[in-house]
Structures are given as structure tokens and as C-alpha cells.
Amino acid sequence: MDFEPSQRCREFQERLQQFMQEQIYPAEPVYEQQLRESGDPHHQPAIMEELKAQAREAGLWNMFLPDEDHGAGLSVSDYAPLAEILGRARIASEATNCAAPDTGNMEVLYQFGSPEQKERWLQPLLEGEIRSGFAMTEPDVASSDATNIAMRIERDGDEYVLNGRKWWTSSALHPHCRILIVMGKTQPDAPLHRQQSMILVPLDTPGVTVLRNLPVFGYVDHEGHAEIDFSDVRVPAGNLIAGEGDGFMIAQARLGPGRIHHCMRAIGAAERALEALCTRAVSRVTFGQPIAMRANIQDWIAESRIEIEMARLLTLKAAWMMDTVGNRQARVEIAAIKVAAPNVALKVLDRAIQVHGGAGVSEDFGLASAYAHLRTLRLADGPDEVHKLSIARRELAPYIPREEAVPAAS
């Protein structure tokens, strides 16, 4: 395995780090102030649109997409270090048009969308003109098992009719959100993994009702996480992505890159938390000494560095495998990083919060908010338990007679 960044990756790293220093970090308090003064937690601060224009001008746009005609044409291994840098600031991904769930939705449309779907929805997403949501999780079933999804998508002439309820549909409250990719069942009697399909549903379609926003540990995210009711929602048959029964396959294709992006951003957040921990530790004095001199604080710092490095290398290995042998062959490594990276980031953040004392649980340093949002990563794109199940089954496979083998979890 060669983890040495390519020359092109290094060039992007240098430009992105400069952009973060000169534009993103100074814009963070401005963004928060504009959001607060608007009185609307889902308001789009003007500074974000300025940052997007600056990112495009700097050539730091759609870096996640490995296609030179639509994105930067970077491999997964080359984009991973850039995702880490973006993870240091919550506003950086949107500023560069590399924010979830848009990245996953753009990848779906890029890989599986029809020419009409690409023109109508992919192009404005690539231009950063609109945002999108991904409606998969449901409140009434355990959606960690995607085969449980109950949303019905039924053919009626030249249309499909959707009925059901979704929640945790991220970005649905963003003022620029225009389109949802919705997963539901089109063929309940088909084999288990051929029952689901994905379909494009404009947010303003009659019958689509945003019931509420779901806070995260009390935080109201700018993009929102919506609970949405679909009641006799009709969309053209041409809105179906790929074919009937392809939903599970599309979901697996979508979640592979998405998981590694999440993990590298989590590592970036952990790095920034460690910097905050060290800065605080050397500047605060207790009982006559900077707290950085305390043995337990030094242990936390050392453990944080070790854990971050291990998580980064594991993630880079997964990225390298995705580039060389494909997502399917890398699925165990992808599952492993999805467990490891968020847990490492949470450990580091917890230590940073503790070193900051009461300030750590306030919003003065952003640590509490970062902790809350990273905690959701242990659930998003599959909970830890599902990923561990996949890993354990792979480890057990050589010891179990073939006729007793159980298919790996998604």
C-alpha cells in the first residue's frame, strides 16, 4: 500500500489549506452571526454564497467527484486528505460543494441517472445552485436493516405513487433544497434485495409535507433533519433511478464513498479538537502549574495522537482498496473505518471538552456542537453494530461450513 499523496493531491492540499486559513476560519464567526441575526435557524447566510464563489474561483469545487468533466477527477485516495481538511470546519464542505447528502446524491445521479435526470437535477447540484435530501430512514421500522423499509412506491400508468413517512432527511430544511432521492418498495414480493427502488421527488410535489425538524442533542442544524410525510405523492415514471428493484444496489454504491468522506471529515474534526486541547492545556494554570504539566493530560494528548494516526491510516487503507480493487472488495475496511473514525473523534473531543472545563460544554469553543454532530455518525450510514456484524461475519467465514454460512450484512 502506498499512502504517499500524489502530486496533484499535494497541490490541492496546499490550495485548500490556504483557502481554509484565509477564507473559511475567518468566516466562521461571521456565518454564525448572520445566522443568529436572521432569527431563522435555516437561513442561508450571505457569507456562504461569497465563500462558494471564492471556492469556485480557486478551483476548489466538486473535489469529491472522480470525473474531470464534472469534478476534480481525484481518486478516493487523493480526495481523502482533502475531506480531512474540510472536516476541520462545518461550513467548509458546503462552501466547496462537497457537503453531504449532496455528494452522495450527485454520485447516484452521475452513476445511475438518465440523461434527463442529469440535466434536470445533477447539473444544478454540480453548480451549487440547489441542495438535495436523501430520504431513506423511517420512524416506524429499524432502518439499520434497509430491507425493513416500508415506504410504498407503486406504478400507476405513467406515474409512480408514494405513500409513507421518512425522517432524518438531512438538508430538507435548507432554503435551497429542491429535490429528494427517496427509497421505498416497488416490488414487495420480489427477492429481499430486489424489493427496493429509488426515485426523484421534487420537494414541492403535492402530498409531500415536512412535518418537523429534528434537533440533534438540542441543536437545530442549519440544513435541518426533517420528518416528512408522503401522501399519494405522484411523480412521473421517468423519475425512477435506474430500474425497479435497483434501490438496494444503488444504496450500497452510494454509501461506500459517503462513509469514507464522513470518516475523513471526522478525523479533521479530531485534529482540530486536539489543537484546542493543547492550546487550552498550556494556557490554563491550576495549583501553580499549567494543566499541560499534569500526567493525565499528557496521557490524553499522547493517546489522542496515537488514535488519530491509527484511524487515519485505516481510512487511507480503505481508500486505497476502493481505488485498486473496488468498493465491494473493500467493504470490510469501509465498515471498520465507519466504526473506528467517529469513535476516535468522540474520544478526542471528550478529552478536549474536559480540559476546557465549563467552557467545553458551552458554545464558546464549538466543542459541544462538534461532539453532538459526530455522535450521530455512530448511527448515520449504518450504526456501529451493523458494521461490526459485517466484520465479524467475514472473520468467522473460514470457520463455518459453507452450507451454514450467513450472507454478510450491508
Side-chain angles (χ1 to χ4, degrees):
M1 287 168 283
D2 182 5
F3 294 152
E4 184 70 19
S6 70
Q7 182 59 38
R8 193 149 184 263
C9 176
R10 287 186 182 280
E11 292 170 359
F12 269 91
Q13 280 181 298
E14 183 177 341
R15 284 192 285 126
L16 183 56
Q17 286 168 340
Q18 182 178 357
F19 184 71
M20 296 287 287
Q21 292 293 336
E22 296 179 357
Q23 307 296 340
I24 294 295
Y25 297 139
E28 286 182 301
V30 179
Y31 179 93
E32 293 298 333
Q33 181 181 355
Q34 291 180 353
L35 190 60
R36 186 170 55 251
E37 290 177 349
S38 75
D40 176 5
H42 308 299
H43 171 75
Q44 181 74 335
I47 190 68
M48 177 55 71
E49 296 305 314
E50 295 174 20
L51 290 170
K52 287 164 65 175
Q54 292 163 352
R56 293 198 71 160
E57 186 177 349
L60 300 170
W61 192 256
N62 292 338
M63 294 178 289
F64 70 95
L65 195 60
D67 180 280
E68 293 186 2
D69 291 334
H70 298 95
L74 297 169
S75 66
V76 179
S77 298
D78 279 345
Y79 178 63
L82 307 182
E84 177 180 338
I85 296 170
L86 294 175
R88 295 174 59 88
R90 278 184 58 79
I91 64 173
S93 292
E94 182 176 3
T96 57
N97 215 40
C98 293
D102 292 332
T103 50
N105 289 345
M106 284 188 270
E107 286 168 339
V108 165
L109 290 169
Y110 172 72
Q111 292 184 60
F112 305 105
S114 68
E116 293 77 14
Q117 291 169 356
K118 289 179 179 179
E119 181 180 358
R120 178 69 183 88
W121 300 112
L122 176 58
Q123 198 55 45
L125 282 168
L126 289 167
E127 295 296 325
E129 297 171 356
I130 65 171
R131 295 293 304 272
S132 63
F134 185 66
M136 179 176 175
T137 307
E138 298 181 2
D140 297 328
V141 298
S143 301
S144 56
D145 177 359
T147 62
N148 283 337
I149 286 172
M151 160 77 75
R152 289 304 310 274
I153 303 175
E154 298 174 295
R155 184 72 180 255
D156 183 19
D158 293 333
E159 297 178 315
Y160 279 99
V161 183
L162 289 79
N163 282 284
R165 184 168 294 192
K166 299 288 185 179
W167 71 345
W168 296 110
T169 302
S170 298
S171 284
L173 276 298
H174 193 290
H176 295 173
C177 185
R178 298 291 182 270
I179 188 69
L180 305 174
I181 293 181
V182 183
M183 185 167 175
K185 286 189 175 179
T186 46
Q187 305 175 69
D189 298 327
L192 197 59
H193 294 89
R194 293 290 302 168
Q195 297 177 3
Q196 306 83 10
S197 298
M198 288 194 188
I199 196 163
L200 290 157
V201 180
L203 192 58
D204 61 359
T205 305
V208 176
T209 305
V210 176
L211 299 174
R212 58 171 175 152
N213 177 64
L214 296 159
V216 176
F217 285 101
Y219 290 97
V220 177
D221 286 349
H222 169 241
E223 68 273 13
H225 306 283
E227 181 172 359
I228 305 177
D229 183 68
F230 297 79
S231 180
D232 291 328
V233 174
R234 290 180 172 270
V235 296
N239 283 23
L240 191 75
I241 301 174
E244 286 196 9
D246 288 335
F248 196 87
M249 176 272 293
I250 296 171
Q252 293 308 296
R254 181 189 190 277
L255 290 174
R259 286 167 179 158
I260 201 163
H261 299 169
H262 276 317
C263 291
M264 290 305 291
R265 284 192 293 264
I267 292 167
E271 283 284 9
R272 197 172 186 191
L274 181 55
E275 291 173 9
L277 189 165
C278 292
T279 300
R280 186 77 168 186
V282 299
S283 66
R284 305 295 276 192
V285 175
T286 61
F287 307 105
Q289 281 188 317
I291 58 176
M293 297 299 102
R294 309 296 175 188
N296 67 312
I297 303 299
Q298 293 182 5
D299 279 349
W300 290 352
I301 292 169
E303 288 168 1
S304 296
R305 172 51 58 207
I306 293 166
E307 289 159 356
I308 289 172
E309 295 299 329
M310 289 192 298
R312 179 185 290 113
L313 286 173
L314 183 58
T315 307
L316 288 174
K317 178 190 176 185
W320 175 81
M321 290 188 66
M322 291 170 71
D323 285 334
T324 55
V325 297
N327 295 4
R328 182 172 179 79
Q329 293 301 316
R331 63 184 182 275
V332 170
E333 286 72 19
I334 294 171
I337 63 169
K338 185 56 177 59
V339 174
N343 278 284
V344 164
L346 288 169
K347 282 184 183 180
V348 178
L349 273 161
D350 186 69
R351 293 164 184 152
I353 288 170
Q354 194 71 9
V355 168
H356 280 73
V361 294
S362 75
E363 268 308 281
D364 288 1
F365 292 88
L367 297 169
S369 174
Y371 187 95
H373 291 96
L374 278 165
R375 180 59 182 83
T376 66
L377 273 189
R378 293 189 57 205
L379 297 167
D381 287 357
D384 288 2
E385 292 73 20
V386 170
H387 296 300
K388 289 178 180 179
L389 182 62
S390 294
I391 297 165
R393 282 177 166 170
R394 173 65 69 87
E395 291 296 314
L396 286 169
Y399 306 95
I400 299 175
R402 184 175 296 274
E403 60 272 13
E404 298 177 21
V406 180
S410 62

